[in-house]
Amino acid sequence: MITHTPYWWEEAPPPEVPRTPVAGRCDAAILGAGYAGLSAGLELARNGRSVQIFDKGAAGGGASSRNGGIASGNLRISFSRMISTLGLERARAYYGEGIEARDDLARFVSEENIDCRLQRVGRFTAATRPEHYERLAREAEALNEHFGLEAGVVPKSEQSAEIGSEIFHGGTVRPDICGLQPALLYRGLLEVALREGVTVHTHTAVSAIRREGTGYELATSRGAVSARNVIVCTNGYTDGAVPWLQRRLVPVPSMILATQPISKTLMERLCPKRRMFGDTNRIHHYFRPSPDGQRILFGGRTAGNLQADGPAPHDHLRRRMIRIFPDLAEVGLSHVWWGYVAMNLDHLPQLAVRDGVYYATGFCGSGVVWARWFGRKAALNILGDRAGSSAFGNQRFRAIPFYNGNPWFVPGAVAWFRFLDRFGL
Ligand SMILES: Cc1cc2nc3c(=O)[nH]c(=O)nc-3n(C[C@H](O)[C@H](O)[C@H](O)COP(=O)(O)OP(=O)(O)OC[C@H]3O[C@@H](n4cnc5c(N)ncnc54)[C@H](O)[C@@H]3O)c2cc1C
């Protein structure tokens, strides 16, 4: 039987947060209790501010406890492409911040004693076409030149040392990328935030934010709240409470399959170095061994009629997994789940401010590192701390033309990009 909640929840189920009265007034109100909202709240509380975080669902019920746990600080636009489109200075600033943010997550986890199985195992990116291999090699060279990352190039003839699959055309290794158990990271971060005095109201939706004098008035499902500052951390779960943001983000479902336990010998062949994996398709797939090394977790974008934590069509993803790893054809699945990632027109994470409201958002499927980083940056800005500055601050954050937040076109777009990937176009 397949379970339709995240595999991670077996070890770290969504934490229960004690229900407390909603205070009518606070220094800061935060929408969304994922990594971004909690990090923002933690920074503010540590600096003496009273903070209430509102989440319309359960704690961690958004993407933050259901992701793949690949801690990269990745950007969707490659470094080489960014150099040619945005110039070397900006490309270096963006990529440099990603590396800094990932190292900062590792520091935070260690300082707070959060046992989330964070390991610097590296990531192998597999070329789905021969010409992609050349592109990956150039990217590794550029990253090495500017950041000394020691990224390595692995030709097809040697790739069995990295992955037990015949279908790829070589790839590259980024040794600095980490894997972790996302629900344990979530639980640890929540515990630290609560301990430092942050109040988290789960199952409490915010339906509107209105400017009122020097602060804001929020309508919540448990009454009105006045706050001096507001931070919006709703990412792929953004709704009509923040229409400005809704017009800028497209929620795209991402799904993960967990296999039943496989033998040590098979795991040794499929993932000899227990790395994280990705491929070079537009609708790319990401996969990894579970932290205990017993299962393969295989993820990719999906589309269609999906219910929250209910059975979801997953044959397409399983077929792709078996094409990569034919050895898994006879292995059953134990878990299938999905959640929303938030894409935007510029394919960059966003630290935005509009009418005095801060937004930490748009992580394009790579928020394990970025969400914590930008949640904290938003808080530092409110505190007037110069450490809140970021290469991603004050950049353009374009609305999507003719879009009001209804992502009706996502299934068509996913099908179109899959078609392009299939024929190498
Ligand atoms: C299946 C999947 C796999 C992924 N894999 C990876 C990976 O391997 N590596 C990686 O880096 N990233 C990955 N991601 C992305 C990453 O998980 C997210 O970018 C990150 O968790 C976003 O955190 P967040 O705090 O911004 O948002 P979330 O954790 O999504 O939290 C947003 C919260 O806002 C709440 N909310 C929304 N509107 C309101 C409202 N009006 N009132 C109150 N609350 C509201 C929602 O209930 C939700 O809990 C993955 C995502 C998914 C879904």
Side-chain angles (χ1 to χ4, degrees):
M1 213 187 62
I2 296 177
T3 304
H4 290 281
T5 50
Y7 163 70
W8 310 118
W9 294 6
E10 301 284 327
E11 185 184 25
E16 286 293 326
V17 178
R19 195 173 164 91
T20 50
V22 171
R25 188 169 291 279
C26 58
D27 291 330
I30 297 172
L31 280 71
Y35 298 142
L38 291 178
S39 306
L42 174 60
E43 193 62 38
L44 289 166
R46 280 190 165 157
N47 284 279
R49 303 287 171 97
S50 60
V51 182
Q52 296 191 94
I53 304 183
F54 300 94
D55 200 294
K56 62 183 172 184
S64 293
S65 72
R66 53 178 76 236
N67 61 69
I70 303 177
S72 60
N74 203 30
L75 294 168
R76 275 182 69 76
I77 309 170
S78 72
F79 182 53
S80 328
R81 186 149 167 254
M82 228 183 235
I83 293 174
S84 55
T85 54
L86 302 178
L88 179 61
E89 200 183 327
R90 269 174 83 191
R92 271 186 65 101
Y94 287 150
Y95 264 76
E97 195 164 324
I99 295 164
E100 190 188 348
R102 202 212 31 252
D103 291 349
D104 192 64
L105 174 66
R107 181 199 51 78
F108 173 78
V109 158
S110 151
E111 278 178 13
E112 302 296 343
N113 285 318
I114 298 176
D115 180 8
C116 59
R117 322 245 187 285
L118 186 138
Q119 281 185 302
R120 204 170 184 267
V121 285
R123 184 188 63 203
F124 180 72
T125 303
T128 51
R129 306 228 144 229
E131 60 273 25
H132 293 184
Y133 175 67
E134 300 303 324
R135 210 173 67 201
L136 283 174
R138 281 197 303 275
E139 177 76 359
E141 203 180 312
L143 288 170
N144 289 344
E145 183 190 336
H146 290 277
F147 300 105
L149 287 183
E150 299 182 357
V153 182
V154 183
K156 187 173 174 69
S157 57
E158 291 168 23
Q159 78 185 1
S160 61
E162 291 292 339
I163 186 169
S165 174
E166 295 294 317
I167 73 164
F168 296 115
H169 301 270
T172 46
V173 173
R174 278 268 309 262
D176 55 315
I177 286 173
C178 307
L180 52 76
Q181 208 286 33
L184 285 176
L185 172 63
Y186 183 81
R187 189 169 76 185
L189 178 55
L190 176 69
E191 281 169 5
V192 178
L194 293 174
R195 206 165 54 228
E196 294 291 332
V198 173
T199 303
V200 177
H201 300 295
T202 55
H203 305 286
T204 310
V206 175
S207 55
I209 307 166
R210 193 163 47 83
R211 190 146 206 163
E212 189 67 49
T214 55
Y216 301 87
E217 187 82 15
L218 283 79
T220 85
S221 55
R222 291 169 60 205
V225 174
S226 303
R228 196 143 42 104
N229 299 106
V230 175
I231 307 180
V232 177
C233 302
T234 50
N235 211 38
Y237 294 82
T238 299
D239 59 24
V242 271
W244 181 81
L245 183 60
Q246 232 187 350
R247 289 195 296 277
R248 284 161 172 76
L249 292 181
V250 180
V252 177
S254 192
M255 177 178 273
I256 304 184
L257 317 177
T259 65
Q260 296 284 357
I262 60 175
S263 70
K264 219 172 152 192
T265 323
L266 181 54
M267 183 60 86
E268 198 59 46
R269 192 160 72 240
L270 304 186
C271 310
K273 295 183 179 153
R274 308 291 191 271
R275 293 205 200 275
M276 307 288 109
F277 295 92
D279 69 26
T280 53
N281 276 343
R282 284 187 183 81
I283 300 294
H284 88 287
H285 294 90
Y286 52 93
F287 40 101
R288 58 169 293 175
S290 55
D292 63 6
Q294 293 199 16
R295 297 160 201 262
I296 298 289
L297 309 184
F298 190 90
R301 305 283 181 261
T302 188
N305 195 9
L306 301 163
Q307 325 156 23
D309 299 333
H314 57 269
D315 284 355
H316 61 290
L317 206 52
R318 184 155 189 272
R319 275 200 302 277
R320 180 66 190 164
M321 180 177 79
I322 292 169
R323 228 173 95 60
I324 294 174
F325 295 127
D327 289 317
L328 294 179
E330 302 304 321
V331 177
L333 300 178
S334 60
H335 298 73
V336 173
W337 73 98
W338 66 277
Y340 284 116
V341 300
M343 311 305 286
N344 64 69
L345 267 188
D346 298 299
H347 300 295
L348 288 172
Q350 301 286 340
L351 176 63
V353 56
R354 184 175 184 262
D355 291 339
V357 173
Y358 282 86
Y359 297 84
T361 195
F363 305 124
C364 301
S366 291
V368 170
V369 165
W370 288 123
R372 192 193 77 86
W373 181 253
F374 286 118
R376 178 162 180 267
K377 288 269 177 197
L380 288 166
N381 275 295
I382 286 173
L383 293 164
D385 187 325
R386 284 219 313 253
S389 75
S390 161
F392 296 82
N394 298 322
Q395 60 185 357
R396 65 182 178 175
F397 189 5
R398 289 178 290 165
I400 299 160
F402 310 111
Y403 174 64
N404 63 2
N406 173 12
W408 56 269
F409 48 83
V410 167
V414 169
W416 172 243
F417 289 131
R418 267 201 202 120
F419 171 83
L420 296 180
D421 285 336
R422 187 154 182 201
F423 294 100
L425 298 168

